[in-house]
């Protein structure tokens, strides 16, 4: 009987000891969580903010400076993704501005056909627009979905399981994302995320993003538009598919000039109501887009109210919130001004 009681005491003491250990461990985790505002937040707060480089002067020399500041050399077969501009629109990036950088990286200017008709809906018309706007004079121009499309997996998406991009895109070793930051009729603003999502998507892939995965038909999509946030989230998911595909073989540069509320895909865009901001660059597309928006909001130019209204009325900041949530990048950044 005494042995049995001793054994019972041992078991009770052992359980009390284990309970105390577990309670201490739980308290430690809770305390560290409070300090970091939760384990997920703690992890984010410990991450070093992405660097966003900015130079106010917009010139070929400035473009080279921000590229070199990134410290990531474009090597191999280089795709330079930009918008060649809808016929009738003159806000696209000036070929004279980008020529030096494109030729330095021995880049090929790449695009995909549109899903809305217009002057770039097929390869022949698209190449003509690129020629008329001066791009074929500075580098080769390839319409990547001229011969079809391929799919890239979307990891962790709730709208898209795959992203349909131009068939030629996987042939490139490195991507220089050269964006014209400005407003956008549907997304609120267009920058790096829009450029690698809708921009690299094939014509039917664009319809797939715009419909949040409901259709690939360019004829049906405009009658099947989803809730706005679903579209914005689909755009972020498609961008993540491209970023995941590239890994560290991609960089992002945005020129914030000719700040119309409309994008370069609009044939008759609204005239810019505010002055130019500069050139910004980062290895993080979310940080870069956030920095561009922040520069607009912080501007002393009263004309900014038009672009801010366009961004906010389309719930544009949700794109960045969701992109950060799915791991495309971070809205925390360190702005480094270059001279």
């Amino acid at each position: 009987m005494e042995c049995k009681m001793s054994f019972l005491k041992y078991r009770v003491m052992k359980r009390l000891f284990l309970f105390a250990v577990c309670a201490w461990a739980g308290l430690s985790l809770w305390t560290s969580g409070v300090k970091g505002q939760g384990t997920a937040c703690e992890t984010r707060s410990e991450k070093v903010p992405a660097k966003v480089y900015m130079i106010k002067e917009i010139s070929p020399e400035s473009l080279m400076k921000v590229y070199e500041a990134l410290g990531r050399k474009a090597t191999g077969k280089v795709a330079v993704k930009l918008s060649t501009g809808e016929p009738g629109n003159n806000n696209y990036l000036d070929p004279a501005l980008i020529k030096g950088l494109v030729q330095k990286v021995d880049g090929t200017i790449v695009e995909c056909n549109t899903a809305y008709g217009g002057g770039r809906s097929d390869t022949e018309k698209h190449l003509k627009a690129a020629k008329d706007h001066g791009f074929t004079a500075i580098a080769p121009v390839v319409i990547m979905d001229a011969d079809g499309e391929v799919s890239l997996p979307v990891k962790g998406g709730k709208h898209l399981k795959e992203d349909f991009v131009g068939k030629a895109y996987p042939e490139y070793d490195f991507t220089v994302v050269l964006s014209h930051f400005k407003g956008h009729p549907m997304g609120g603003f267009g920058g790096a995320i829009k450029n690698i999502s809708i921009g690299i998507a094939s014509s039917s892939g664009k319809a797939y993003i715009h419909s949040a995965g409901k259709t690939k038909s360019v004829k049906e999509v405009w009658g099947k538009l989803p809730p706005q946030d679903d579209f914005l989230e689909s755009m972020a998911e498609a961008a993540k598919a491209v970023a995941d595909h590239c890994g560290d073989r991609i960089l992002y540069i945005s020129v914030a000039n000719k700040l119309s509320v409309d994008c370069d895909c609009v044939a008759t865009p609204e005239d810019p109501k505010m002055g130019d901001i500069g050139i910004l660059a980062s290895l993080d597309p979310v940080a870069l887009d956030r920095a561009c928006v922040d520069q607009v909001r912080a501007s002393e130019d009263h004309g900014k109210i038009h672009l801010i209204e366009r961004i906010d009325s389309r719930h544009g900041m949700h794109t960045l919130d969701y992109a950060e949530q799915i791991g495309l990048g971070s809205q925390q950044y360190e702005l480094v001004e270059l001279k």
Side-chain angles (χ1 to χ4, degrees):
M1 185 70 176
E2 185 178 345
C3 290
K4 187 175 181 180
M5 288 298 293
S6 298
F7 178 69
L8 288 173
K9 285 182 180 179
Y10 166 76
R11 290 184 65 182
V12 170
M13 293 299 293
K14 182 178 179 181
R15 287 184 179 181
L16 287 172
F17 174 75
L18 290 174
F19 177 79
V21 169
C22 290
W24 175 83
L27 180 62
S28 297
L29 286 172
W30 180 83
T31 304
S32 65
V34 170
K35 288 179 180 177
Q37 297 181 354
T39 46
C41 293
E42 181 183 17
T43 302
R44 282 198 296 271
S45 67
E46 288 174 353
K47 289 176 66 176
V48 177
K51 280 188 168 60
V52 176
Y53 298 93
M54 177 180 177
I55 190 165
K56 293 180 179 179
E57 180 189 17
I58 299 176
S59 69
E61 295 75 22
S62 295
L63 201 58
M64 290 298 298
K65 283 182 182 178
V66 295
Y67 165 68
E68 290 166 356
L70 290 174
R72 180 176 288 177
K73 187 177 181 181
T75 58
K77 187 175 181 181
V78 178
V80 178
K81 176 62 191 75
L82 53 76
S83 172
T84 51
E86 190 68 17
N89 187 310
N90 296 313
N91 290 336
Y92 53 84
L93 295 178
D94 187 344
L97 171 67
I98 68 171
K99 177 181 177 180
L101 176 60
V102 174
Q103 294 184 354
K104 178 179 176 60
V105 301
D106 194 21
T108 297
I109 294 171
V110 298
E111 272 269 56
C112 281
N113 291 318
T114 65
Y116 55 78
R120 297 181 298 149
S121 58
D122 64 58
T123 301
E124 183 180 356
K125 289 191 291 188
H126 205 152
L127 287 173
K128 183 179 186 303
K131 181 179 180 180
D132 291 345
H133 291 168
F135 291 104
T136 59
I138 67 169
V141 176
V142 170
I143 309 303
M144 295 185 292
D145 62 337
D147 296 318
E149 65 187 20
V150 296
S151 71
L152 301 178
V154 174
K155 301 172 185 175
K158 64 181 181 181
H159 305 289
L160 311 181
K161 299 301 180 187
E162 51 190 333
D163 177 33
F164 299 95
V165 302
K167 185 177 181 180
Y169 183 58
E171 298 173 7
Y172 295 90
D173 303 308
F174 195 103
T175 305
V176 173
V177 184
L178 190 51
S179 309
H180 172 213
F181 181 84
K182 68 288 174 191
H184 192 278
M186 297 187 72
F189 68 89
I193 292 175
K194 188 260 181 185
N195 200 5
I196 61 172
S197 57
I198 293 175
I200 290 178
S202 64
S203 182
S204 60
K206 288 176 170 63
Y208 194 63
I209 295 169
H210 274 289
S211 68
K214 299 298 188 295
T215 183
K216 291 178 65 183
S217 170
V218 298
K219 294 180 179 179
E220 296 177 5
V221 61
W222 305 114
K224 292 187 175 182
L225 295 178
Q228 176 68 359
D229 281 2
D230 289 359
F231 159 60
L232 299 175
E233 290 169 4
S234 298
M235 193 161 56
E237 290 177 2
K240 187 172 185 294
V242 171
D244 288 345
H245 167 77
C246 292
D248 61 0
R249 297 173 292 111
I250 190 168
L251 59 84
Y252 308 88
I253 302 173
S254 292
V255 181
N257 71 344
K258 300 180 180 178
L259 291 161
S260 170
V261 298
D262 291 321
C263 73
D264 300 345
C265 57
V266 176
T268 54
E270 288 286 330
D271 291 334
K273 299 294 194 303
M274 67 176 295
D276 299 345
I277 289 174
I279 304 175
L280 297 89
S282 183
L283 300 179
D284 182 328
V286 181
L288 178 57
D289 277 357
R290 180 57 190 257
C292 288
V293 173
D294 286 350
Q295 287 297 311
V296 170
R297 295 189 191 277
S299 172
E300 296 180 357
D301 190 329
H302 181 69
K304 69 182 182 180
I305 61 172
H306 302 282
L307 183 49
I308 292 172
E309 189 279 334
R310 175 58 57 91
I311 293 169
D312 292 345
S313 65
R314 270 56 168 188
H315 206 191
M317 301 307 290
H318 182 67
T319 306
L320 302 184
D321 293 338
Y322 185 73
E324 184 174 43
Q325 179 185 325
I326 63 175
L328 177 57
S330 172
Q331 293 185 72
Q332 297 180 36
Y333 64 90
E334 175 190 352
L335 189 67
V336 180
E337 291 200 42
L338 307 175
K339 300 296 183 182

